Amino acid sequence: MTALGTKRRRKHGLTDVEVRRAAEGAMRSALGQQALRESWGRGLYMYVMEHGRQPHDMFTIDKLKRAANDFRWDLEELKQEGDSKCPLRQANRRFWQAAADFEKELSDRFLVRETVDA
């Protein structure tokens, strides 16, 4: 007997469980560690969840880095606006903050801290 949702297939014939394992493996890889240190880990994680594998070309990796950089700038602008009375702006800010929190959660969960030998 399988758990709910494990039979559904995504792109490339992978199940949800297989895609999640691939994304978690990507976070533990050298590329994933680099992405977490440079704050574009969420983009890499979501890419693997969508495609079932890590990106292999520098063009895609650069796109993920640029998107993460743009995201951080936009989130900072939203924070500097202060508290808005507009419900749409408030919802947008919460949505973006949730994405930033997910980036931190990935970092807390998968980033291997470098130790310095004295």
Side-chain angles (χ1 to χ4, degrees):
M1 183 170 190
T2 60
L4 290 176
T6 58
K7 290 287 187 183
R8 195 174 78 197
R9 298 281 177 178
R10 289 185 178 241
K11 290 183 180 178
H12 308 292
L14 300 174
T15 65
D16 289 344
V17 172
E18 291 168 330
V19 170
R20 176 154 303 206
R21 284 184 187 146
E24 290 175 356
M27 293 293 99
R28 291 182 181 99
S29 72
L31 181 63
Q33 293 296 300
Q34 175 189 353
L36 291 169
R37 284 189 184 92
E38 295 174 359
S39 299
W40 55 277
R42 182 179 60 87
L44 177 62
Y45 186 88
M46 298 308 291
Y47 181 91
V48 176
M49 289 293 289
E50 177 69 24
H51 298 279
R53 62 172 176 74
Q54 292 185 38
H56 297 293
D57 58 300
M58 287 306 297
F59 178 76
T60 303
I61 292 170
D62 287 341
K63 272 179 58 175
L64 294 173
K65 289 179 181 182
R66 280 193 306 275
N69 189 43
D70 292 345
F71 170 79
R72 285 192 303 274
W73 276 99
D74 292 343
L75 179 60
E76 200 55 42
E77 285 179 7
L78 281 173
K79 287 180 178 179
Q80 289 178 359
E81 284 181 3
D83 290 334
S84 175
K85 301 292 183 201
C86 175
L88 183 58
R89 283 207 180 272
Q90 290 173 350
N92 192 27
R93 185 174 173 182
R94 283 192 305 269
F95 177 75
W96 283 58
Q97 187 59 52
D101 293 345
F102 183 61
E103 177 81 34
K104 182 172 178 357
E105 179 185 327
L106 286 172
S107 182
D108 292 344
R109 186 171 169 201
F110 295 109
L111 182 62
V112 176
R113 305 292 178 197
E114 294 179 358
T115 58
V116 178
D117 293 333

